[in-house]
Amino acid sequence: MTADAVHPRTFGAGPSRRHALFAGLCLCCLPTLGRAAESFAIEEVGPGIFVRKGLIADATVDNDDAIANVGFIVGKTGVLVTESGGSLADGRWLRAEIVKRTDKPITHVVLTHVHPDHVFGAGAFVQDKPVFIGHAKLTEALSARGEFYRKRLIDLLGEDRTGPVVYPTMSVADTAEIDLGDRRLTFTAHGPAHTTSDLSMIDSGSGLLFPADLLFVNRIPSLDGSLRGWLTEIERLKTLGATRAVPGHGPVAVDLAPALADLSGYLTVLRDGTRAAIAKDVPIEKAVTSVAAEQRDAWALFDTYNGRNVTVAYQELEWE
Ligand SMILES: [Zn+2]
């Protein structure tokens, strides 16, 4: 694991500790305590760059889907939101944190990819009339899945905490740059990898890379695009000139090289194990329990996502 990595067992212990904590409390306290200050503190990870670490958990009624690392960059001319949050409630929380710290206008909101924990906070920023920046394939992906995700989130959080599906108003097909007066943000639209709409960003003010879910740290990556493509895009991330990054999930900032090595280690084991299973005619139902099992202790939420990852990998690799 990376130098910055908290040992995964620490994360594994998190939810059970929280449950133990809640056991002695009345139910009405739960929603508030679910957003404990410790979990939701914002850290300044670079000059004018603020990040909140997402919970290493799945969306629950108590956590407002605040499971991704979200944050903002304060530039000379305005604020850019690096990730909007996992629900309208989460986005409102983030917006409140911004206005506490600066009275500059919120001019840009990045929608890093289609997944709900990265886009449903956007509704909280519509009032600011920012530019919503997304991958050129994001509109299509949101059209296909946005309402499905929204209904699922409404079942969990209720309509007023979920919010609308917000579409990008600026799309990036290859690369793009925006200027906040004293710093430039350079965007790269990636090929199919974690999803088919992954957008990364580099801040010229700090040199930090914001790869969103192209980089998971400690939490098991979830595959929803292309396994071979993701391994290719990892190589591309290495060429962008950054040494530190703010991952989509995990610590608020990490050294890039070891974090990418851990990620590509898992994806390589997933690829090679799936190929071996296909070669031996192991059926998919069996492969999901055996492929990459040796990685179990290295990743939080392994049992929730590894089987799905094998399924996606199997479908991609069986025709190669
Ligand atoms: Zn994602």
Side-chain angles (χ1 to χ4, degrees), residues 26-260:
C26 62
L27 279 171
C28 63
C29 301
L30 289 180
T32 323
L33 284 170
R35 310 210 48 152
E38 168 226 347
S39 304
F40 287 94
I42 293 226
E43 285 180 55
E44 188 165 6
V45 299
I49 304 178
F50 299 85
V51 178
R52 183 226 49 207
K53 183 179 180 304
L55 294 170
I56 303 294
D58 279 326
T60 68
V61 66
D62 296 331
N63 68 23
D64 286 336
D65 200 19
I67 64 172
N69 292 344
V70 300
F72 54 96
I73 298 177
V74 181
K76 193 172 168 209
T77 57
V79 177
L80 175 137
V81 177
T82 62
E83 286 274 9
S84 67
S87 62
L88 181 62
D90 194 28
R92 282 181 175 149
W93 176 87
L94 179 61
R95 190 176 182 281
E97 293 296 315
I98 295 171
V99 301
K100 254 190 237 173
R101 286 171 176 81
T102 178
D103 53 12
K104 289 185 178 167
I106 297 168
T107 53
H108 299 83
V109 174
V110 185
L111 304 171
T112 59
H113 63 290
V114 69
H115 285 155
D117 50 323
H118 299 263
V119 295
F120 276 102
F125 299 96
V126 169
Q127 62 188 295
D128 301 297
K129 301 190 171 60
V131 177
F132 289 100
I133 305 167
H135 189 292
K137 296 261 167 66
L138 180 60
T139 294
E140 181 188 332
L142 283 171
S143 303
R145 294 188 186 180
E147 277 308 313
F148 168 76
Y149 285 151
R150 203 173 88 86
K151 287 197 182 87
R152 226 173 46 172
L153 206 52
I154 288 172
D155 288 344
L156 206 57
L157 304 179
E159 188 144 18
D160 52 335
R161 299 184 78 74
T162 294
V165 177
V166 175
Y167 286 83
T169 55
M170 170 184 159
S171 74
V172 183
D174 181 16
T175 60
E177 194 171 279
I178 63 139
D179 194 337
L180 292 183
D182 54 347
R183 62 208 313 163
R184 284 168 290 105
L185 290 313
T186 306
F187 295 89
T188 300
H190 293 268
H194 168 63
T195 65
T196 57
S197 56
D198 301 311
L199 188 68
S200 72
M201 178 183 84
I202 286 195
D203 164 48
S204 70
S206 62
L208 274 171
L209 170 68
F210 292 75
D213 278 8
L214 290 171
L215 180 59
F216 282 68
V217 178
N218 299 333
R219 179 185 173 121
I220 186 169
S222 68
L223 174 62
D224 188 24
S226 163
L227 177 52
R228 286 175 300 181
W230 200 343
L231 286 161
T232 302
E233 295 306 325
I234 285 172
E235 294 309 310
R236 191 166 176 198
L237 290 175
K238 290 178 187 170
T239 68
L240 297 179
T243 57
R244 298 272 295 167
V246 175
H249 299 271
V252 291
V254 296
D255 286 334
L256 183 60
L260 285 178

